[in-house]
Amino acid sequence: VAGEGEAPEPGAAYGAADAVASEPPPPPAKREPPALLPSELLQLHACVPSALPDAACKGGLVYFTLMVNEPIEPAADAADLDAAMNIALDHGVITGGSLSVLEQVVDEVYVPLLSAPRSGAEGAGGAFGGGQSEFVSNVQKFGSQIAHAIQQLTGDVRLNVPHMEITDPATAAADEELVAVLELSLEEWTPAIAAALEAQMKKTPVGNGPLAEIEFWRSRSAALSTLCEQLNTPNCRRMVEVLERCDSQLLPGFHFQFGELEKRYVEAKDNVKFLTTLERHFKNITHGSLLQIIDTLPSLMSALRMVWVISRHYKEDHRMEPLMARIAWEIANTVSGMVHVRSLFRDNLSAAIKLITEAKAVLDKWETAYMEMRARIEDSGRDNRWEFDRQKLFSRTRYMSARCADLLTVAEMLRDMRSMLGPELTAVTGNAAGITEVTVRVEAAVAPLELVPFDLFDRRYSTSWETALAKFRDNVANIEEMVKHFMDDSFLKLRTAEDTYNLLQKFKEIQDSNAAGQKLMESKSMDILQQYHVEIETVHALFKQHQQAPPACKNQPPVAGAINWAHALFLRIRRTIACIKPMGELESTEAGQAVSKKFVAVSKEIRKYEQRLFEEWSAGVNARAMALLKAPIFVAELDGQEVLPDEATVALGRGAAIKVNFHSDLSVLVRESKYLDRMGFAVPETALNVTLQEAKYHGYVESLHAMLAAYNEVLGSLSPVELELLASCITQMRASLDKGFTLLNWNSLSIPEFTDSCMKSIARFTAVVKTVAKNAGIIGGVVSAIGSAELVRAPNQDGEMPELSELYDDAEKHRQSQIEELVRQYHQIGPLLVKVEEVVVNTNTGASPALAAYYAHWERELFAALNKMVTKALARMLELLSPREALTSSDAAGAARPPIFRVSAILIAPEVVVSPPLAEVNKLLSKLVRSIVESTRSFVRWMHGSCLETPPQPLGDDDEPVIFSYFSDVSVNPEVRGLAAITIRAFERTFGRVNKQLDQYRKYDQLWKVDKAQHLAKFEQKAPTCVMFDSRLQSYSKVVDDARAMEAELEVDFMRISVRPLLESIEYHARSWIGGITKLMNDMTRTGLVEMHELIVEYGGGLGGAPD
């Protein structure tokens, strides 16, 4: 879009004026750099940093710095050495020389760190305030100077200067060989200078902003300064002087190129010097905030005027006008980058309006500042006037300023609509759906502007933007019409006159803020007065309806609550009239005057009601207060009825409860006085005095409640037997409370002393209770240990199965150890009861009549514990000895219960028996059962009415003394007797199963019952055949095989039976029969064989004779 204020095309300001006067010769051929020696490639320096050689700073550098003063100690392994070196050494890499590293640190570390915004930072200061932003600019300037120095030191063109030193040009001019070398070098210098100038003339600024122009001249100055500095060295000057003495033909071309070089270098250097003064302003425009740009523009114009006046090159229009155009482009680009229409109206509208206002101010300030400076230049009459093309400088910024004005109008409209349609309007009208509908329409009207498919700051789309804006204005007109209808509907739906008046004021404010000049809604004033009249009638009706039983707020006393309710009704109508009082119609119209009279009448009626309630209350409050204060501080209650003070002591013995007699009417009186006093009523003196002493009475009540809580707590912790035990102590404690029923009332001054006296009495009783409870706890522990004792335990299954005798011995040993420990603990109960006796009745006889019931209580507990111990042991024994079919389903689901002892099955011909015999087993198991019950013989009974063990009672000289124990009582317990009988029957049933299991071996009893010799003799008489012998042998062999195949052990319920001896006996008898049959067969076969042998011998002898 040429000619409309954009940045000039690249090279537009650097064409004809910067062209080279003559055509330079072609550049020389590029020479290969000389090869470096190994010593130049890698060098090692050990020194302090200040003594580092210059050569080490030109290339890559790896450094190691010792950070400690002590040497690094040798380490045992590589890991320890690595850790020690990490602590002692700092190391790193520096590439490209120290200047390059310094530039990188400044540009990449310090400038971003100092310029980054922090929380609370504002404006251009970044991380600092406004005064400190100058420091950031100085750091940036320092970085630019470093970069300029690097460019000068590392220029693009390096001349090949001969390595020779000329001290006398006249002498050197006579040396033809030296002159030839110098001419060869000059021949290379001339085209090199021409090529460098041509390359620089072809370059243009990279970028459209003003900083690009500074960078352009700075780059040219650095590039040309390298050549100038090389050629201006004293040695090079002497070389040129030598050639001048020789009238070299190459000098004219060299002088021309060198003159152009110096001219261009001076120009670039001068431009850099003046443009550097503008760099800070350009950076503020490029990177600063909008407010900072506004503050920068006046000082920028002053700096541009100074450059225009002083500079030799920027005093011309062809240089200053493009610079101005670049500044305009940068300002427009910065504003365009900050104002994003797609998100502008979605964020905080106040911030959006501020942003748009600042953006428009920046755009307008650019032209204003230019025109003010132009006028100052014209008024001075000394400087050249600024006659730049304003179309180039301001056309884009003017267009953008107009678009910002459009955006500001949209934002203000949106802000006003959102303010009017906020939650306050919803609360006033109650029409959330209607407000939501209007709000959606408002947001929808803005959406097309947010979604335009073009850049609104681009003039090419001005027509499209005007179309979108016109559509927006039409939508706004429709919304305003919709709001008008909504206003009318809202006034009709409002519930109170106050809300109606507030809504009216809100609509007026919105209309005023929009400057629409709409007429105010005077017609709504009469509606407000009519609504207020209805509200007064409603309040008056409520007052008439509830004045006999007014609703009171929570925690408010009756009279003050009623007065407060009536006053709240009055305040409701008064607040509304105070709100609408500024309306002129309230006094100027008949309706307004009627409403005012109605308000006054209702207010007077409510006031009379309040005054009547107060007078009725104050008439009898003093007498009632005095009567309540003279009541006793304690009252006894029995079965929900109060007991007379004279009968309170007797009632306490029957279980009456003690209550603090602070009547609730006193509390109500105090609260009434406090509320009425706050309302401004004159409270009677007596009631006021009681109210002023509320804290004292409250303290009395709290201390008495605390004392009674301690009293009830200590009594509540006692069991019935302890209540009976401590009856005398309880009577003494209650005696200290008697004064609270008779002598003391709420006017008494000795209530604190009475409370302290009662607390001391309760503390003494509590100490007695704690001592009794402590000893009772120990005794209870002994009783619990007796009840939970395990007299029977399952045998250990880890080792070999025990025999019956071993099982019996182990069970008896365990039972005796348990009983001995329990008896030892049982003997401690007597001394503990003696301690209780000492505390309660101050005696230690162990037979105090006052503790007879307490002794009997613990005897009953001991008897119950012994019963529990015995029944639990019998149940455990029954569990161990029960038949397996008696297992529960849960037992059957788990592992089968193992036997507890083992016996053997043996053959004692002619019978198969168990060893030990089942009768012996029955005897030992029955003895175990009886020993469980007889364990109670160790627990000696106490003498009647004491905790002393009964001594043995002798019967005669020869008879053993009788010991009274719990055995006689426990043994006749039906539960104990039943469990013992069931246990004995259980293992007797098991004996029957044992005999049934042994029947499978008794079927072989013919092996040992039959007479073997007689049976074999009869068998021999039958002349048995081989088949008969084989049948008999196979049957007895089968018996042997069966005996070997049978299990060596059987488990029958709780017994494991070893049948190995029995099986060996069966096998032995079977083999004995096999031996007898084989012997019989051998004998019978031997006789036949002898006869056959004799016959063979006889026939054999006949064979030797001559035949007949």
Side-chain angles (χ1 to χ4, degrees):
V1 195
E4 294 186 355
E6 281 78 0
E9 296 182 0
Y14 309 93
D18 296 336
V20 183
S22 62
E23 187 70 23
K30 186 176 181 180
R31 297 184 179 184
E32 293 295 333
L36 298 176
L37 298 175
S39 59
E40 296 176 323
L41 292 175
L42 178 62
Q43 297 180 4
L44 180 64
H45 303 276
C47 58
V48 296
S50 60
L52 192 66
D54 295 338
C57 300
K58 294 181 179 179
L61 178 66
V62 179
Y63 66 88
F64 297 85
T65 304
L66 189 64
M67 306 301 294
V68 296
N69 295 327
E70 300 80 10
I72 301 176
E73 296 293 336
D77 53 14
D80 294 342
L81 180 61
D82 183 60
M85 293 186 69
N86 284 335
I87 296 174
L89 287 179
D90 183 23
H91 57 86
V93 178
I94 299 176
T95 58
S98 56
L99 272 180
S100 299
V101 174
L102 181 59
E103 182 198 20
Q104 293 174 3
V105 170
V106 172
D107 290 345
E108 304 297 335
V109 178
Y110 290 106
V111 172
L113 179 64
L114 297 173
S115 303
R118 299 180 184 175
S119 59
E122 296 181 359
F128 300 94
Q132 292 173 311
S133 62
E134 188 70 23
F135 176 71
V136 181
S137 301
N138 291 335
V139 173
Q140 294 173 343
K141 184 176 180 181
F142 177 61
S144 301
Q145 292 174 347
I146 296 174
H148 181 63
I150 293 174
Q151 288 179 345
Q152 290 179 330
L153 293 175
T154 58
D156 295 336
V157 180
R158 304 291 293 181
L159 298 178
N160 185 15
V161 179
H163 294 284
M164 59 181 63
E165 187 69 29
I166 298 176
T167 56
D168 186 6
T171 304
D175 189 347
E176 295 182 358
E177 183 178 354
L178 177 61
V179 171
V181 172
L182 294 178
E183 286 183 342
L184 182 62
S185 298
L186 190 64
E187 189 177 358
E188 294 179 359
W189 291 356
T190 302
I193 295 172
L197 288 174
E198 183 182 7
Q200 291 299 321
M201 293 303 105
K202 291 180 179 180
K203 289 183 179 181
T204 57
V206 180
N208 296 326
L211 289 176
E213 181 148 350
I214 296 177
E215 190 61 30
F216 167 76
W217 288 112
R218 187 172 287 158
S219 175
R220 175 178 289 187
S221 173
L224 298 180
S225 68
T226 304
L227 290 173
C228 288
E229 289 177 0
Q230 292 180 71
L231 294 173
N232 285 323
T233 59
N235 196 37
C236 286
R237 288 184 177 277
R238 285 191 289 271
M239 290 180 183
V240 173
E241 185 180 352
V242 170
L243 294 177
E244 288 176 348
R245 289 178 180 273
C246 297
D247 294 330
S248 175
Q249 298 298 321
L250 301 175
L251 282 177
F254 170 75
H255 284 310
F256 175 79
Q257 296 296 343
F258 183 68
E260 286 294 321
L261 174 64
E262 285 189 326
K263 184 177 71 172
R264 298 302 177 189
Y265 172 63
V266 170
E267 178 189 18
K269 185 177 179 182
D270 186 66
N271 289 342
V272 168
K273 179 177 66 175
F274 285 102
L275 290 178
T276 302
T277 62
L278 304 173
E279 184 175 12
R280 178 169 61 89
H281 304 295
F282 292 162
K283 287 184 177 180
N284 288 339
I285 294 174
T286 305
H287 305 295
S289 65
L290 295 176
L291 291 177
Q292 189 176 3
I293 295 175
I294 294 174
D295 296 338
T296 300
L297 287 175
S299 58
L300 172 62
M301 287 299 170
S302 299
L304 287 172
R305 178 187 178 186
M306 180 189 68
V307 173
W308 171 262
V309 172
I310 300 176
S311 174
R312 289 179 293 177
H313 305 281
Y314 272 92
K315 66 191 304 180
E316 303 295 337
D317 291 355
H318 73 277
R319 286 281 171 82
M320 182 58 76
E321 184 175 309
L323 180 62
M324 289 281 195
R326 287 180 177 275
I327 296 173
W329 181 91
E330 191 64 58
I331 292 174
N333 187 61
T334 301
V335 171
S336 177
M338 290 186 177
V339 180
H340 303 284
V341 69
R342 290 185 180 274
S343 60
L344 187 64
F345 305 121
R346 297 302 175 189
D347 299 330
N348 185 0
L349 279 179
S350 299
I353 292 173
K354 180 182 177 183
L355 175 63
I356 298 171
T357 304
E358 292 177 356
K360 188 176 185 304
V362 167
L363 297 170
D364 295 340
K365 185 67 176 178
W366 159 241
E367 183 173 1
T368 303
Y370 170 83
M371 297 305 295
E372 290 177 354
M373 184 54 64
R374 182 177 181 276
R376 288 173 58 187
I377 294 174
E378 291 178 356
D379 292 342
S380 66
R382 295 191 301 271
D383 305 328
N384 294 332
R385 298 175 60 184
W386 281 0
E387 297 294 344
F388 306 134
D389 188 350
R390 298 183 189 177
Q391 184 68 14
K392 289 183 180 181
L393 300 184
F394 307 119
S395 61
R396 185 182 180 191
T397 56
R398 289 170 182 169
Y399 179 79
M400 292 180 65
S401 177
R403 299 291 76 79
C404 287
D406 295 341
L407 293 177
L408 185 60
T409 302
V410 174
E412 289 176 347
M413 186 282 299
L414 192 60
R415 178 197 61 190
D416 295 339
M417 285 295 181
R418 286 181 181 176
S419 175
M420 181 183 70
L421 301 173
E424 296 177 358
L425 187 61
T426 304
V428 171
T429 62
N431 187 4
I435 295 174
T436 303
E437 181 182 359
V438 177
T439 303
V440 172
R441 292 285 298 273
V442 170
E443 300 297 334
V446 182
L449 299 180
E450 297 176 335
L451 301 177
V452 289
F454 53 82
D455 183 5
L456 67 95
F457 294 124
D458 193 339
R459 287 195 306 277
R460 293 177 298 176
Y461 303 104
S462 60
T463 303
S464 300
W465 173 254
E466 291 296 339
T467 302
L469 194 61
K471 185 176 181 181
F472 169 76
R473 292 192 181 100
D474 294 339
N475 290 333
V476 170
N478 294 333
I479 291 172
E480 289 178 350
E481 187 66 26
M482 185 177 181
V483 169
K484 291 179 182 179
H485 292 296
F486 176 73
M487 289 164 58
D488 294 336
D489 295 340
S490 299
F491 279 109
L492 296 177
K493 295 177 182 179
L494 291 176
R495 294 182 289 272
T496 65
E498 183 181 1
D499 292 343
T500 306
Y501 179 78
N502 291 335
L503 181 61
L504 177 62
Q505 296 303 315
K506 190 172 186 65
F507 282 138
K508 288 180 179 179
E509 291 174 3
I510 295 300
Q511 291 169 358
D512 291 343
S513 64
N514 288 334
Q518 301 293 335
K519 64 178 181 178
L520 298 178
M521 307 181 68
E522 296 86 354
S523 60
K524 303 300 178 183
S525 301
M526 298 306 296
D527 295 339
I528 294 174
L529 292 176
Q530 183 179 0
Q531 177 65 28
Y532 181 52
H533 186 272
V534 173
E535 291 178 13
I536 294 177
E537 292 292 345
T538 303
V539 169
H540 191 211
L542 285 174
F543 174 73
K544 288 293 187 181
Q545 180 183 358
H546 298 289
Q547 64 177 341
Q548 299 302 324
C553 296
K554 186 179 180 180
N555 295 328
Q556 281 192 345
V559 176
I563 295 175
N564 187 53
W565 166 77
H567 195 66
L569 294 178
F570 166 72
L571 291 178
R572 184 190 302 181
I573 59 177
R574 191 184 71 171
R575 181 176 65 248
T576 303
I577 198 170
C579 180
I580 66 176
K581 191 174 182 180
M583 291 174 52
E585 291 82 358
L586 191 62
E587 297 178 357
S588 60
T589 63
E590 293 182 1
Q593 294 173 1
V595 167
S596 299
K597 291 179 181 179
K598 184 66 175 178
F599 166 75
V600 172
V602 173
S603 300
K604 287 182 178 179
E605 185 175 356
I606 293 175
R607 181 60 182 169
K608 289 179 181 179
Y609 172 76
E610 295 175 2
Q611 193 65 32
R612 178 174 59 82
L613 288 179
F614 174 73
E615 291 173 354
E616 291 176 357
W617 174 80
S618 59
V621 68
N622 289 340
R624 180 59 176 163
M626 294 304 299
L628 293 176
L629 290 176
K630 291 180 180 179
I633 63 175
F634 283 162
V635 64
E637 288 186 2
L638 183 62
D639 298 331
Q641 300 293 328
E642 288 190 7
V643 181
L644 295 176
D646 296 338
E647 301 175 359
T649 304
V650 179
L652 291 179
R654 291 185 295 170
I658 304 176
K659 303 292 183 181
V660 177
N661 190 26
F662 192 80
H663 204 282
S664 59
D665 288 353
L666 274 175
S667 300
V668 173
L669 184 148
V670 170
R671 289 165 53 211
E672 294 277 15
S673 300
K674 291 168 67 175
Y675 275 100
L676 292 173
D677 184 63
R678 291 173 188 169
M679 295 177 188
F681 291 96
V683 179
E685 184 177 357
T686 303
L688 187 60
N689 290 335
V690 174
T691 304
L692 293 176
Q693 298 182 72
E694 178 190 10
K696 181 184 75 172
Y697 292 133
H698 180 73
Y700 287 168
V701 173
E702 289 296 321
S703 61
L704 291 173
H705 275 303
M707 183 265 289
L708 290 180
Y711 168 81
N712 293 324
E713 181 181 3
V714 70
L715 288 183
S717 66
L718 300 179
S719 62
V721 67
E722 290 173 338
L723 285 171
E724 185 178 357
L725 172 67
L726 301 173
S728 60
C729 298
I730 294 174
T731 301
Q732 294 176 6
M733 178 179 63
R734 285 173 176 168
S736 62
L737 304 177
D738 289 343
K739 287 199 279 187
F741 296 98
T742 56
L743 297 178
L744 299 178
N745 58 37
W746 296 108
N747 289 322
S748 302
L749 300 178
S750 59
I751 293 178
E753 290 79 5
F754 167 74
T755 305
D756 293 341
S757 174
C758 292
M759 287 299 295
K760 291 178 181 178
S761 178
I762 294 171
R764 288 193 298 268
F765 179 74
T766 303
V768 174
V769 171
K770 288 183 178 179
T771 303
V772 173
K774 177 181 178 182
N775 290 282
I778 299 174
I779 297 172
V782 174
V783 174
S784 177
I786 293 173
S788 61
E790 294 186 1
L791 301 183
V792 177
R793 66 178 180 182
N796 190 4
Q797 301 295 330
D798 296 338
E800 185 180 358
M801 181 69 67
E803 294 184 358
L804 177 60
S805 58
E806 295 175 351
L807 174 68
Y808 177 80
D809 293 340
D810 182 67
E812 278 296 296
K813 182 179 179 181
H814 171 71
R815 185 186 65 82
Q816 289 293 341
S817 64
Q818 290 289 315
I819 293 299
E820 289 174 1
E821 175 61 24
L822 294 177
V823 169
R824 185 188 65 78
Q825 296 183 25
Y826 172 73
H827 290 319
Q828 298 175 359
I829 296 178
L832 292 173
L833 292 175
V834 172
K835 291 183 180 179
V836 173
E837 179 185 351
E838 291 178 354
V839 173
V840 176
V841 295
N842 294 324
T843 61
N844 58 0
T845 61
S848 174
L851 274 72
Y854 198 59
Y855 300 147
H857 163 73
W858 285 115
E859 275 197 301
R860 288 191 295 271
E861 293 292 325
L862 286 168
F863 176 70
L866 290 170
N867 272 305
K868 181 180 178 182
M869 176 187 73
V870 172
T871 54
K872 187 169 70 171
L874 290 175
R876 179 61 174 158
M877 179 66 74
L878 178 60
E879 180 184 352
L880 294 174
L881 301 180
S882 294
R884 292 195 175 184
E885 63 268 15
L887 290 174
T888 62
S889 58
S890 60
D891 295 330
R897 189 177 64 242
I900 61 176
F901 65 88
R902 59 186 172 88
V903 295
S904 299
I906 60 175
L907 176 62
I908 302 178
E911 295 296 333
V912 175
V913 296
V914 176
S915 177
L918 294 178
E920 183 69 20
V921 175
N922 187 7
K923 179 180 178 181
L924 288 178
L925 294 179
S926 300
K927 189 175 180 181
L928 279 177
V929 173
R930 288 193 300 273
S931 65
I932 293 173
V933 182
E934 291 179 354
S935 299
T936 56
R937 293 184 183 274
S938 302
F939 298 90
V940 181
R941 292 285 301 274
W942 296 336
M943 291 186 290
H944 180 66
S946 73
C947 61
L948 305 177
E949 293 184 4
T950 305
Q953 303 296 316
L955 296 179
D957 295 337
D958 297 333
D959 297 332
E960 292 185 359
V962 177
I963 298 176
F964 289 97
S965 67
Y966 285 93
F967 172 74
S968 58
D969 300 307
V970 174
S971 60
V972 297
N973 185 355
E975 185 178 2
V976 173
R977 294 170 65 90
L979 280 172
I982 292 172
T983 304
I984 293 173
R985 285 197 299 270
F987 57 71
E988 286 177 349
R989 287 196 300 270
T990 299
F991 296 157
R993 292 187 182 86
V994 171
N995 286 322
K996 187 176 180 180
Q997 287 290 334
L998 294 180
D999 287 345
Q1000 62 180 321
Y1001 305 104
R1002 291 191 178 101
K1003 66 182 180 180
Y1004 301 110
D1005 57 352
Q1006 296 300 320
L1007 293 176
W1008 55 82
K1009 285 185 177 181
V1010 176
D1011 188 353
K1012 188 182 343 178
Q1014 184 180 359
H1015 182 76
L1016 290 177
K1018 290 181 180 181
F1019 181 69
E1020 183 179 3
Q1021 292 175 1
K1022 295 179 181 180
T1025 63
C1026 290
V1027 174
M1028 296 175 66
F1029 275 109
D1030 184 63
S1031 176
R1032 294 294 179 90
L1033 289 175
Q1034 285 185 4
S1035 64
Y1036 288 117
S1037 296
K1038 185 176 182 302
V1039 172
V1040 173
D1041 293 339
D1042 291 345
R1044 288 181 177 178
M1046 289 182 181
E1047 294 290 338
E1049 292 182 342
L1050 297 177
E1051 292 185 359
V1052 181
D1053 296 341
F1054 55 84
M1055 290 193 302
R1056 178 175 293 172
I1057 305 173
S1058 176
V1059 296
R1060 184 178 298 278
L1062 179 58
L1063 293 175
E1064 291 176 352
S1065 297
I1066 293 173
E1067 184 180 355
Y1068 170 75
H1069 285 287
R1071 289 187 179 279
S1072 176
W1073 278 97
I1074 293 173
I1077 292 172
T1078 54
K1079 184 176 183 302
L1080 174 62
M1081 186 175 62
N1082 183 50
D1083 292 343
M1084 292 177 66
T1085 305
R1086 180 181 292 275
T1087 303
L1089 288 175
V1090 170
E1091 291 176 355
M1092 184 177 289
H1093 179 71
E1094 291 176 353
L1095 184 61
I1096 290 173
V1097 171
E1098 180 182 354
Y1099 288 158
L1103 288 175
D1108 294 339

